[in-house]
Amino acid sequence: MMKKLVSITILLLVAIRAEAQVIRSGELWPDDEGVHINAHGGGVLKYGDTYYWYGEHKAENTSNALVGVTCYSSKDLLHWHNCGVALSVSDEHGHDLERGCILERPKVIYNNVTRKFCMWFHLELKGRGYDAARYGVAVAERPEGPFKFLYSQRADAGTWPIEFGEKELAIVDTLDVANFEQQWTPAWLKAVGEGLFVKRDFQSGQMSRDMTLYVDDDGRAYHIFSSEDNLTLHIAELTADYLHHTGRYTRMAPAGHNEAPAIFKHDDTYWMITSGCTGWEPNEARMFSSTSIWGPWQQHPNPCRGPKAEKTFGGQSTFILKTDAGIIFMADIWRPRHPIDARYIWLPIEFEDSKPVIRWRDEWKPQL
Ligand code: GAL
């Protein structure tokens, strides 16, 4: 009996030791069982006094989804408990979420009216690479799930962005992808900016890849995603139940080639941080601001400071979490050859000359 007690105590001490005491971006981040957190491309939702971190479960040798979306919970943003799989992939052949599909960048928001947890994510159908370019929606009664998959599709089929009036539509009318033998020429980029791909995908729906969700102070929610072959971000309003698009959407930074959008609001200004498009390789973060979610958005210099600031410290943005104690920038350091070993960057956002700045810190502790 005594022996058993001693070994349990030792085990507990080892587990406590293994748990993170500070945030060390880029290093292993053990959960409360000492296992590196597996929730990549994720986001955090606060519900009651608990934070829930949702992310992609990554496997040893493939970035395809073999498990689904994981959920971890914490009261202090430092110590995380593994709540298991919130949204599971399916074993049914031909299912949208068939095991082996690509399921990325899940985000969850809570709907105060329906009292449901709503998850949106980027979905690529199994065996089709990144061609499908869809978003998926799932819903749950409880924060840790299980989430029930509802549907996946492309965005806003048959609808023009709100800023396309008579003048813009007259230009769109003249555009045709068949007129461009060569891509990346100034004429092609101009046409993309004017809506070449919006027109191409008008009937089938707009492409929807890297994404985030944002709930505004008035309860309206938005889906922000890379569209048009990742060349233009779309900001689409959600219905009151947060489960569909309303059809109202705007294009942001047309032909600007932005991915990995993350957004927050500070003193009535919306700030968005994105990355360029270099796949799993890091690049320089971009930053935009606007006093309306519908724009116009203005671009600012890279907000990162410190070693590897010109490569987002080796990472790519995924989410910005506003807490009572401050604002946290979250990013992923991808490991495409060993995806499960991908790392996290969590750094506080500070303000300098009224603009967000992300300064590298070897370690820090959120003061909640
Ligand atoms: C990145 C994107 C990731 C993933 C990856 C695949 O640019 O942000 O979420 O899709 O490309 O190469």
Side-chain angles (χ1 to χ4, degrees):
M1 178 65 183
M2 194 58 192
K3 249 189 181 168
K4 211 172 177 188
L5 258 179
V6 170
S7 39
I8 288 174
T9 315
I10 290 173
L11 266 178
L12 268 176
L13 281 174
V14 169
I16 290 167
R17 262 257 183 88
E19 256 196 282
Q21 300 306 322
V22 286
I23 292 181
R24 285 199 185 93
S25 293
E27 307 219 343
L28 288 172
W29 191 339
D31 65 11
D32 62 356
E33 287 167 354
V35 179
H36 182 45
I37 293 169
N38 196 336
H40 309 275
V44 175
L45 168 74
K46 189 175 185 202
Y47 179 68
D49 62 354
T50 306
Y51 292 93
Y52 293 89
W53 176 355
Y54 303 89
E56 305 160 23
H57 174 277
K58 291 272 189 213
E60 289 280 344
N61 301 315
T62 173
S63 288
N64 293 5
L66 301 187
V67 171
V69 177
T70 49
C71 175
Y72 289 79
S73 67
S74 172
K75 301 250 192 243
D76 62 4
L77 296 169
L78 201 54
H79 303 92
W80 292 92
H81 171 70
N82 185 352
C83 303
V85 181
L87 173 69
S88 181
V89 294
S90 167
D91 280 320
E92 192 187 317
H93 180 67
H95 192 283
D96 285 6
L97 302 189
E98 185 176 354
R99 199 182 301 276
C101 66
I102 295 173
L103 197 171
E104 294 180 335
R105 298 186 175 270
K107 305 288 178 293
V108 174
I109 53 180
Y110 177 67
N111 190 298
N112 279 322
V113 179
T114 62
R115 302 189 171 194
K116 295 214 179 354
F117 296 84
C118 306
M119 180 190 288
W120 289 55
F121 50 91
H122 167 202
L123 179 73
E124 298 292 346
L125 302 174
K126 185 176 180 180
R128 286 181 45 188
Y130 278 85
D131 276 359
R134 292 187 182 190
Y135 66 87
V137 183
V139 71
E141 304 285 339
R142 297 171 353 130
E144 64 272 23
F147 279 79
K148 184 177 172 285
F149 173 66
L150 297 180
Y151 68 98
S152 81
Q153 64 181 36
R154 282 198 171 184
D156 296 307
T159 314
W160 297 113
I162 55 164
E163 61 273 18
F164 276 23
E166 242 172 71
K167 192 172 114 230
E168 289 76 13
L169 286 172
I171 296 172
V172 167
D173 213 33
T174 66
L175 304 174
D176 188 343
V177 273
N179 293 340
F180 295 92
E181 265 174 34
Q182 259 194 314
Q183 301 195 334
W184 300 106
T185 61
W188 179 83
L189 272 173
K190 179 167 176 281
V192 171
E194 290 168 339
L196 181 69
F197 292 158
V198 181
K199 182 180 182 186
R200 180 195 64 188
D201 297 334
F202 186 73
Q203 298 298 343
S204 57
Q206 302 297 317
M207 298 172 91
S208 179
R209 292 204 183 112
D210 278 11
M211 55 145 282
T212 195
L213 295 178
Y214 176 69
V215 181
D216 213 336
D217 303 334
D218 61 2
R220 268 184 219 282
Y222 302 87
H223 176 211
I224 303 168
F225 53 98
S226 293
S227 192
E228 305 177 34
D229 280 340
N230 298 341
L231 276 146
T232 299
L233 287 164
H234 287 192
I235 302 177
E237 186 184 63
L238 302 192
T239 50
D241 61 7
Y242 299 169
L243 298 176
H244 300 270
H245 287 161
T246 61
R248 263 170 74 74
Y249 74 100
T250 186
R251 299 168 76 227
M252 189 216 159
H257 223 194
N258 286 283
E259 280 194 325
I263 186 173
F264 71 105
K265 188 153 121 180
H266 180 78
D267 288 346
D268 292 329
T269 299
Y270 299 84
W271 292 95
M272 198 187 297
I273 296 178
T274 68
S275 75
C277 301
T278 51
W280 303 116
E281 292 298 321
N283 55 55
E284 187 171 30
R286 292 113 179 253
M287 184 165 73
F288 302 84
S289 72
S290 172
T291 50
S292 161
I293 193 92
W294 299 107
W297 291 85
Q298 184 197 346
Q299 189 162 2
H300 302 272
N302 176 6
C304 301
R305 305 278 184 278
K308 289 201 274 176
E310 73 296 345
K311 291 265 185 229
T312 321
F313 316 113
Q316 188 183 25
S317 42
T318 182
F319 194 72
I320 295 170
L321 174 66
K322 236 181 141 171
T323 73
D324 297 339
I327 307 163
I328 302 174
F329 172 73
M330 296 169 53
D332 298 280
I333 301 178
W334 303 113
R335 295 269 162 93
R337 274 187 293 273
H338 192 197
I340 196 172
D341 193 36
R343 305 296 170 87
Y344 309 101
I345 294 174
W346 282 34
L347 293 168
I349 292 187
E350 303 157 80
F351 278 81
E352 239 176 54
D353 300 331
S354 313
K355 282 186 192 163
V357 164
I358 306 166
R359 215 178 292 285
W360 176 261
R361 300 186 189 200
D362 288 337
E363 55 176 61
W364 67 287
K365 207 169 175 166
Q367 303 295 336
L368 288 172

